[in-house]
Amino acid sequence: MPLLSVESQLPWLAELAGAPLPNRREEAWRFTDLAPLRDLEPTLLPVVDPLGGVPLPKGVSRLDPAEWAPLLDASLVATGSEAAWPVGLNRAADPQVLALRVTGEADPLELAWDAGSAKGLAALRVLLVLEPGSSLDVLQVVNSSGANCTSLITEVLLAENARLNLGVLALGHGMASLLAHVAVKQEPGSALSCTTATAGWGLVRLEPRVMQSAGSAQTRLRGLQMVDGQQLADTHSFMSFGGPAGELDQVHKVVANGSGRSVFNGAVKVPQAAQQTNASQLSRSLLLSDRARVDTKPELEIVADDVKCAHGATVSQLQANELFYLQSRGIGADQAAHLLLRGYCDEVLRELPAMASAWHPLARLLGDGA
Amino acid sequence: MIRSDAPVLLEINDLCARVEDQPILKGVNLTIRSGEIHAVMGRNGSGKSTLSKVLAGHPAYTVTAGSVLYRGENLLELAPEQRARTGLFLGFQYPVEIAGVNNLEFLRVATNARRTEQGLDELDTFAFEDLVRERLGVVQMDPAFLERGLNEGFSGGEKKRNEILQMALLEPLVAILDETDSGLDIDALRIVAGGVNQLAGPDNATLLVTHYQRLLDLITPDYVHVMAAGRILRTGGKDLALELERDGYDWVDQELARLGAEPAEVG
Amino acid sequence: MSTAATVGDLVSQPYKYGFVTDIQTEKIAKGLSEDVVRLISAKKEEPSFLLDFRLKAYQQWLKMEEPDWAALGHPKIDYQEIIYYAAPKQKDKKASLDEVDPKLLETFEKLGIPLSEQKRLSNVAVDAVFDSVSIATTYKEKLAEHGVIFCSISEAVKEHAVLVERYLGTVVPTSDNYFAALNSAVFSDGSFVFIPKGVECPMELSTYFRINSADTGQFERTLIVAEEGASVSYLEGCTAPMFDTNQLHAAVVELVTLDDASIKYSTVQNWYAGDENGVGGIYNFVTKRGQCRGARSKISWTQVETGSAITWKYPSCVLQGADSVGEFYSVALTNHRQQADTGTKMIHLGPRTRSTIVSKGISAGHSSNSYRGLVQMGTKAIGAKNYSQCDSMLIGDRAAANTYPYIRSQQPDASVEHEASTCRISADQLFYLQSRGIGFEEAVSMMVSGFCRDVFNQLPMEFAAEADKLLALKLEGSVG
Ligand SMILES: Nc1ncnc2c1ncn2[C@@H]1O[C@H](COP(=O)(O)OP(=O)(O)OP(=O)(O)O)[C@@H](O)[C@H]1O
Ligand SMILES: [Mg+2]
């Protein structure tokens, strides 16, 4: 890599973000090198309508700027995300805000972005405001096939008893980067299910951050990240309980192949006010190549005695006894491995909102025609 | 065995109790003399387990009115462990699991606490092992269970047998067995019933909480009580249980309505 | 009756080892400089390789910064306010215990460590370290018959210089971290154990550390080497008087096992923890590391940590030899304002290496108890396995339990499994035990030691009961 390009490109993103790129000496970036961003063309890409011209579904309406302006940033503040570098970058790029209000039982919504093969930075920002008792299934599909970086912030305000099923399906390209930040503020009685699946990106940094402002809400997080080739995928999740009786059910899965690198950091904070919290976090990583690397770091901080908190982490190959069971039924080793891998991934993918099936995520992730 | 001149072991008068702000027991009256076997039946949620736990001194329940005399003394002012040491035993409907606490060691500490109260010598580990092995016979339990954590990973039926083993070791004066029959297989039911019969004698008394006649076929009660809405609604002999088996609890609602009380809360 | 409050009261037991021994002490002036390093070395009449070792470490230390990554809140330590060498005044070298100042013998006796011939613990050899020096080692002759060397490190430096030079600093290099560098520069005493090829050490070895002087740092250095096929079980114990200032304890322990050798290292740490407002207590910043150099060798760490104001300690295993085994069993109890940041590192380098981690943290009062661990599977760790279990018990709603288990794997044919849970003493469990006649206090203590059972089972027999008693002590008190 010519040194010159490094020097000429670096300042653009840093200057745009108003802050130098995160350094690997910072704990939150210890395993993640933003080197691929250095080659980024200093261009802001125009963003096409994520609705693809389709009218908004029933129960979903646009908020006008006067309505959304006071609501913007609220979930970022609640989840302590304001200072994060990817957030700063996105704000600095000043993307148009797609701000939507959800009332009652809304019909499913699909938002799709494809940076294509254009070079440069595409910044997107979505604000979802769910009114009390409303419910919505929303699928965000993010694609890219070129040397670009997609910066996506999704902010969600879940009012009392609102229910959101949020899916993020992000299929990229070896030259492409994705910086995705999801900040959710949940009021009591609300339920969030957030499922993310990423594959194919040269670099992904995914930051799901959830705050139950007064506890008594349900949060379900599912993540699948696949790396191959020289790819790097990093999920830094954060969950905090601002009051009692909150629930978290988190499963994060990794498939690491080729010379891929996978990073998972899962923070869960249960302060004194959060008695009767029930939180579980499971991180499962499949390491399929001896050139790949997996880093996993759960972080549990608990200051309340009447809580149930459990977490687990495993890193291994496919289970030998499961493989053997299939083989003993006459299935060849390769096919058995493939079947197990499918099952492993499908456990997360099938939790994406229903309309995700039209994108055939399993087939595309595993690169087979099935 | 009923003897009207037998000493009263337990005398419950107008007992009322609540959990948090919810009143559950609403005036229970019951007298138990030594040598007697009582059965308490009643719909789910009628307050049977609550009565049992109040008698054992569970801290979640607050007694709001009434009294309980145990051998003529105020039971309610005794700490739970003191009740146990003086011979009141509760076989729990849902025995808890305590991981890491060795079952054998637990049994020994409990037995010695009871023995000390009775003015007997504490048993050392060897003497105690002998005693346990003998008592294991009462419930026909595999000694392997002694080496495990207290109820840790025990099946439902195994936990119940462990409860009876504790009863066999502690030799209580009043044994309250809360649905000790549920979760037992057919052989185990016979074994447990045999154990209870073997331990029942003229100087102690048993209070069985049960839903099923099949236990009462094996352990013949002297009295059968029906609980409803936190009180004892009817008392009879062993035939009352057969009547319930045949007719169910429909009559309870009419009876309660007649008494002007609110209907039983179904849990 | 609120369970949390009452259980909380129970864990607030006064410290029983807080007395000070009134004995004349030879101290050097406060502060650290190259001259102080030279002075310590000269006082101990050390060979030149050791002085060079110390000076190199000192130079490295000067360039390092005190770490703050563990987020331990403590006021800045002034390294010029510490006395780096303090020794009870007594005649040079004790030919026999009869010549040891009776006050010292009495001190250890009061601590439950009788050193005199008649009262010795049978089958346990003890090295007693008072402030900066080792004052006595028992059963030395008997051990020598088996070729086992067990003596203070000062003595080893003189009498077994070749061995010390061969191994010292090879597991924890002088530049490893800030406190290890400091220790390497100023360490005063500690124990040395050498088990020759094929020898199974005939008795438990034990070192007992006692800090007596205020303002004195204790920087002991322990080195244990087990040659091919050798094995040893070693226990260290520690206490300190109550002062309202903080004292620094920065030890380094190095273990080496060659082919088929095994070392079992147990610690019962009960340094003074400060009062309930967090005044005083020991800062315990320790580097402990074992290297399984040989195939099929094994290093096992067991620790019961109940004292110190701040503990910063990660006994680790570098599993280099094929099929070598690392173990870490830990109980950490914190109360009041104590902070413990402890855990382990299992670095799997060789094929088919195996490690097990069992950590039990109990936090009460306003204390903070963190498990921080690293399990690393290197590229050559084919067929390696790790299993970790970290459980926390919380007593009261102001204590913190944190878990930071970090896993890195670069070997697909290695497996890592980590599980963690939190629990408290539930009211139902307490009631169950009470309803069988077991008193409140005993019920709590039964459950706490039940919670710790997996770890206590790993302690040498002689000390398992001791550890149980120590926790019970901390749990003892008046029931409301
Ligand atoms: N800790 C508690 N908190 C709230 N309600 C309680 C509690 N304990 C008991 N109750 C309520 O009190 C009522 C009586 O319960 P109890 O367990 O005594 O019933 P039971 O007669 O033993 O029923 P079953 O036959 O199902 O065992 C039920 O409605 C139950 O839900
Ligand atoms: Mg019941």
Side-chain angles (χ1 to χ4, degrees):
Chain A
M1 190 181 304
L3 194 65
L4 203 89
S5 83
V6 174
E7 290 195 332
S8 62
Q9 308 291 335
L10 234 182
W12 181 67
L13 271 187
E15 203 176 294
L16 181 64
L21 271 79
N23 190 295
R24 291 190 51 194
R25 275 191 297 261
E26 294 168 45
E27 186 60 30
W29 295 90
R30 219 168 109 200
F31 311 112
T32 301
D33 193 351
L34 294 180
L37 294 182
R38 290 178 186 155
D39 285 338
L40 200 67
E41 189 99 4
T43 310
L44 267 180
L45 296 172
V47 173
V48 284
D49 176 18
L51 293 159
V54 179
L56 285 170
K58 183 196 99 195
V60 181
S61 57
R62 273 183 204 270
L63 291 166
D64 58 47
E67 288 175 301
W68 60 251
L71 301 174
L72 202 67
D73 290 350
S75 66
L76 293 176
V77 173
T79 56
S81 308
E82 276 187 299
W85 188 83
V87 170
L89 176 72
N90 183 282
R91 280 174 165 175
D94 194 23
Q96 232 182 32
V97 178
L98 175 66
L100 302 173
R101 183 208 316 274
V102 180
T103 43
E105 264 194 41
D107 283 346
L109 170 69
E110 184 170 304
L111 302 171
W113 298 273
D114 189 344
S117 56
K119 294 179 175 176
L121 175 72
L124 326 160
R125 189 159 184 183
V126 177
L127 170 65
L128 296 173
V129 180
L130 278 84
E131 301 215 316
S134 66
S135 76
L136 173 71
D137 280 17
V138 55
L139 177 68
Q140 299 183 327
V141 181
V142 190
N143 288 313
S144 167
S145 51
N148 47 47
C149 173
T150 302
S151 160
L152 168 63
I153 291 187
T154 306
E155 283 186 78
V156 179
L157 295 173
L158 274 184
E160 286 181 12
N161 304 316
R163 186 197 62 81
L164 176 67
N165 183 7
L166 169 68
V168 179
L169 178 60
L171 302 171
H173 178 270
M175 299 287 285
S177 304
L178 171 65
L179 302 174
H181 196 97
V182 182
V184 185
K185 183 172 176 234
Q186 287 190 257
E187 299 305 327
S190 66
L192 167 73
S193 170
C194 174
T195 306
T196 59
T198 68
W201 302 83
L203 169 69
V204 182
R205 168 81 168 200
L206 181 63
E207 301 174 315
R209 296 175 70 90
V210 181
M211 173 70 182
Q212 291 191 3
S213 57
S216 301
Q218 288 175 358
T219 308
R220 186 179 171 85
L221 300 177
R222 291 290 180 274
L224 172 65
Q225 69 190 30
M226 301 184 74
V227 287
D228 203 337
Q230 300 289 326
Q231 299 159 7
L232 167 69
D234 172 352
T235 296
H236 262 65
S237 72
F238 171 88
M239 175 80 218
S240 184
F241 297 90
E247 283 178 30
L248 167 69
D249 171 5
Q250 179 176 20
V251 177
H252 188 264
K253 288 190 170 186
V254 166
V255 178
N257 228 321
S259 300
R261 302 256 153 122
S262 165
V263 178
F264 171 67
N265 187 297
V268 177
K269 294 191 193 290
V270 184
Q272 199 182 341
Q275 292 289 6
Q276 283 111 40
T277 294
N278 188 346
S280 93
Q281 180 193 72
L282 181 65
S283 142
R284 289 191 60 192
S285 305
L286 278 183
L287 182 58
L288 300 178
S289 144
D290 57 8
R291 282 162 293 131
R293 192 175 88 194
V294 169
D295 286 287
T296 288
K297 196 171 168 230
E299 291 182 7
L300 267 82
E301 299 183 352
I302 301 167
V303 191
D305 55 347
D306 187 12
V307 296
K308 279 202 199 105
C309 293
H311 68 132
T314 60
V315 183
S316 66
Q317 263 281 15
L318 289 166
Q319 292 297 313
N321 57 345
E322 295 177 6
L323 274 174
F324 175 74
Y325 184 82
L326 294 181
Q327 286 174 274
S328 75
R329 297 291 177 265
I331 300 167
D334 284 353
Q335 199 191 353
H338 191 74
L339 280 174
L340 289 179
L341 189 58
R342 279 179 64 106
Y344 176 86
C345 295
D346 197 40
E347 252 183 11
V348 172
L349 296 174
R350 66 168 174 245
E351 300 217 15
L352 286 166
M355 59 276 201
S357 62
W359 294 85
H360 304 290
L362 192 59
R364 293 177 65 180
L365 252 61
L366 296 181
D368 60 15
Chain B
M1 176 189 32
I2 305 175
R3 278 189 301 131
S4 56
D5 61 337
V8 173
L9 281 178
L10 197 67
E11 188 180 333
I12 305 171
N13 290 310
D14 269 326
L15 185 66
C16 297
R18 62 174 164 79
V19 58
E20 277 156 21
D21 291 330
Q22 194 187 340
I24 297 176
L25 298 185
K26 297 166 186 164
V28 176
N29 289 296
L30 181 63
T31 299
I32 298 178
R33 291 171 189 274
S34 65
E36 294 175 350
I37 295 178
H38 292 241
V40 173
M41 305 181 77
R43 279 180 172 158
N44 294 138
S46 55
K48 305 179 297 293
S49 293
T50 303
L51 174 63
S52 312
K53 286 192 255 183
V54 166
L55 292 176
H58 195 292
Y61 300 86
T62 313
V63 173
T64 50
S67 66
V68 182
L69 296 179
Y70 174 54
R71 301 185 305 176
E73 286 170 32
N74 183 358
L75 176 76
L76 300 176
E77 66 187 16
L78 297 182
E81 59 267 36
Q82 201 51 32
R83 300 181 196 199
R85 289 172 191 171
T86 51
L88 187 91
F89 178 87
L90 170 59
F92 288 84
Q93 184 175 4
Y94 304 109
V96 294
E97 300 191 13
I98 307 183
V101 171
N102 177 271
N103 197 22
L104 181 66
E105 189 187 330
F106 154 75
L107 292 170
R108 187 169 61 83
V109 174
T111 305
N112 279 335
R114 171 97 172 103
R115 289 179 66 91
T116 304
E117 182 70 30
Q118 290 170 304
L120 301 169
D121 285 342
E122 290 200 7
L123 298 175
D124 63 23
T125 41
F126 302 106
F128 181 70
E129 281 228 40
D130 293 345
L131 179 67
V132 169
R133 276 173 206 282
E134 178 211 319
R135 297 294 149 92
L136 274 175
V138 176
V139 282
Q140 298 181 20
M141 217 166 106
D142 187 331
F145 286 102
L146 298 174
E147 296 310 324
R148 290 171 55 177
L150 175 47
N151 292 332
E152 189 181 356
F154 286 24
S155 75
E158 288 161 356
K159 284 181 185 160
K160 295 300 173 73
R161 287 197 203 199
N162 202 28
E163 294 290 291
I164 300 301
L165 173 62
Q166 292 169 37
M167 173 174 156
L169 285 165
L170 297 177
E171 301 177 351
L173 286 177
V174 176
I176 304 164
L177 303 177
D178 190 0
E179 297 200 28
T180 302
D181 53 334
S182 54
L184 293 178
D185 65 39
I186 296 160
D187 290 338
L189 182 69
R190 219 168 275 138
I191 292 162
V192 164
V196 173
N197 283 329
Q198 194 179 327
L199 297 167
D203 299 323
N204 58 27
T206 309
L207 180 67
L208 299 169
V209 174
T210 184
H211 287 293
Y212 305 108
Q213 178 59 36
R214 59 171 191 218
L215 180 70
L216 303 180
D217 287 340
L218 300 170
I219 307 172
T220 313
D222 299 306
Y223 297 97
V224 173
H225 310 276
V226 178
M227 264 194 100
R231 67 187 74 177
I232 288 175
L233 203 59
R234 191 189 285 185
T235 295
K238 63 176 193 289
D239 297 341
L240 178 54
L242 294 167
E243 213 177 288
L244 292 173
E245 183 89 351
R246 197 182 61 224
D247 302 338
Y249 288 112
D250 280 349
W251 58 271
V252 165
D253 293 334
Q254 291 144 31
E255 188 89 8
L256 285 174
R258 198 174 57 76
L259 288 171
E262 62 263 50
E265 291 150 37
V266 178
Chain C
M1 168 177 69
S2 145
T3 315
T6 331
V7 175
D9 295 342
L10 277 186
V11 290
S12 315
Q13 175 64 13
Y15 189 64
K16 297 202 164 165
Y17 306 108
F19 63 91
V20 184
T21 306
D22 177 21
I23 188 162
Q24 277 210 326
T25 315
E26 179 199 355
K27 293 179 183 175
I28 62 170
K30 278 181 185 171
L32 185 54
S33 65
E34 191 172 314
D35 288 341
V36 168
V37 174
R38 286 178 187 280
L39 182 64
I40 293 171
S41 189
K43 277 200 174 294
K44 304 181 84 68
E45 301 161 21
E46 290 174 351
S48 63
F49 84 86
L50 201 53
L51 177 61
D52 295 344
F53 177 89
R54 288 179 184 276
L55 290 173
K56 187 173 126 215
Y58 177 68
Q59 289 307 327
Q60 281 160 334
W61 180 75
L62 284 178
K63 293 191 206 99
M64 296 168 104
E65 269 177 51
E66 190 179 336
D68 64 351
W69 55 269
L72 297 173
H74 65 85
K76 199 120 189 73
I77 300 169
D78 184 347
Y79 291 91
Q80 298 307 334
E81 278 298 308
I82 295 172
I83 295 168
Y84 289 86
Y85 185 85
K89 269 197 186 136
Q90 51 175 348
K91 274 167 274 157
D92 273 358
K93 187 64 212 171
K94 300 296 141 307
S96 88
L97 277 165
D98 309 338
E99 293 171 41
V100 175
D101 189 325
K103 265 190 190 157
L104 289 176
L105 295 180
E106 205 179 287
T107 300
F108 281 94
E109 199 143 319
K110 241 166 127 180
L111 298 169
I113 315 290
L115 298 174
S116 56
E117 298 283 347
Q118 314 82 21
K119 296 186 191 160
R120 284 175 182 182
L121 298 168
S122 61
N123 209 37
V124 182
V126 179
D127 184 21
V129 177
F130 190 88
D131 283 341
S132 300
V133 296
S134 164
I135 57 155
T137 310
T138 62
Y139 289 116
K140 258 163 89 168
E141 299 74 22
K142 187 172 170 203
L143 290 168
E145 284 167 25
H146 296 262
V148 172
I149 304 172
F150 179 40
C151 61
S152 72
I153 197 130
S154 318
E155 195 179 329
V157 164
K158 288 178 203 152
E159 301 188 0
H160 311 282
V162 178
L163 285 175
V164 174
E165 187 169 7
R166 187 184 306 155
Y167 290 106
L168 190 75
T170 61
V171 180
V172 179
T174 50
S175 59
D176 190 80
N177 66 67
Y178 188 81
F179 296 107
L182 178 63
N183 175 287
S184 301
V186 303
F187 73 87
S188 39
D189 218 334
S191 301
F192 175 73
V193 177
F194 178 82
I195 318 288
K197 201 167 172 172
V199 171
E200 189 180 320
C201 187
M203 56 175 71
E204 298 279 342
L205 304 184
S206 166
T207 300
Y208 196 89
F209 296 102
R210 172 78 176 167
I211 296 182
N212 191 58
S213 316
D215 309 325
T216 305
Q218 189 162 26
F219 305 94
E220 86 268 0
R221 185 103 193 177
T222 300
L223 174 60
I224 304 180
V225 178
E227 283 195 332
E228 290 85 351
S231 69
V232 64
S233 167
Y234 177 92
L235 182 120
E236 95 187 354
C238 355
T239 56
M242 298 194 275
F243 292 118
D244 54 10
T245 53
N246 300 103
Q247 293 137 286
L248 178 63
H249 174 251
V252 171
V253 175
E254 298 179 279
L255 313 182
V256 177
T257 49
L258 304 184
D259 286 357
D260 300 295
S262 88
I263 298 177
K264 183 178 177 67
Y265 192 107
S266 315
T267 308
V268 176
Q269 188 262 110
N270 189 20
W271 295 119
Y272 178 52
D275 68 9
E276 64 263 40
N277 299 315
V279 177
I282 301 283
Y283 290 165
N284 191 30
F285 300 151
V286 174
T287 307
K288 289 187 167 173
R289 192 174 307 153
Q291 203 167 41
C292 286
R293 284 192 197 162
R296 298 167 303 279
S297 65
K298 175 175 174 183
I299 289 179
S300 176
W301 298 100
T302 303
Q303 59 173 28
V304 178
E305 300 280 316
T306 63
S308 294
I310 301 179
T311 299
W312 187 87
K313 180 178 172 191
Y314 317 91
S316 306
C317 297
V318 179
L319 303 170
Q320 203 171 307
D323 300 287
S324 60
V325 175
E327 293 177 340
F328 175 74
Y329 296 93
S330 169
V331 166
L333 173 78
T334 56
N335 196 6
H336 301 316
R337 304 272 170 181
Q338 273 178 280
Q339 303 172 55
D341 198 285
T342 181
T344 184
K345 293 182 196 168
M346 292 291 173
I347 313 291
H348 292 253
L349 299 178
R352 297 174 307 279
T353 45
R354 279 167 293 139
S355 66
T356 304
I357 299 172
V358 177
S359 160
K360 306 276 179 177
I362 303 158
S363 357
H366 286 85
S367 70
S368 157
N369 200 329
S370 302
Y371 169 82
R372 194 182 298 275
L374 166 66
V375 174
Q376 185 169 345
M377 295 293 178
T379 50
K380 299 202 178 73
I382 296 164
K385 277 192 167 51
N386 157 267
Y387 173 74
S388 317
Q389 187 191 336
C390 300
D391 299 322
S392 317
M393 180 182 264
L394 288 127
I395 297 176
D397 63 359
R398 278 163 308 180
N402 305 323
T403 317
Y404 309 101
Y406 167 37
I407 300 167
R408 160 171 290 192
S409 180
Q410 293 177 273
Q411 172 46 251
D413 197 13
S415 80
V416 182
E417 206 180 321
H418 168 91
E419 280 180 84
S421 71
T422 50
C423 67
R424 63 165 180 171
I425 296 177
S426 86
D428 274 331
Q429 290 177 327
L430 264 180
F431 177 66
Y432 188 83
L433 294 179
Q434 284 178 280
S435 73
R436 295 296 176 258
I438 297 166
F440 179 83
E441 229 169 84
E442 192 173 1
V444 170
S445 131
M446 260 176 121
M447 279 193 285
V448 170
S449 57
F451 176 71
C452 303
R453 179 74 53 223
D454 296 349
V455 176
F456 287 168
N457 284 345
Q458 298 299 322
L459 284 171
M461 263 245 283
E462 288 83 349
F463 298 101
E466 193 116 326
D468 221 348
K469 246 193 287 169
L470 180 60
L471 281 209
L473 251 177
K474 289 240 158 187
L475 294 168
E476 191 181 90
S478 54
V479 185

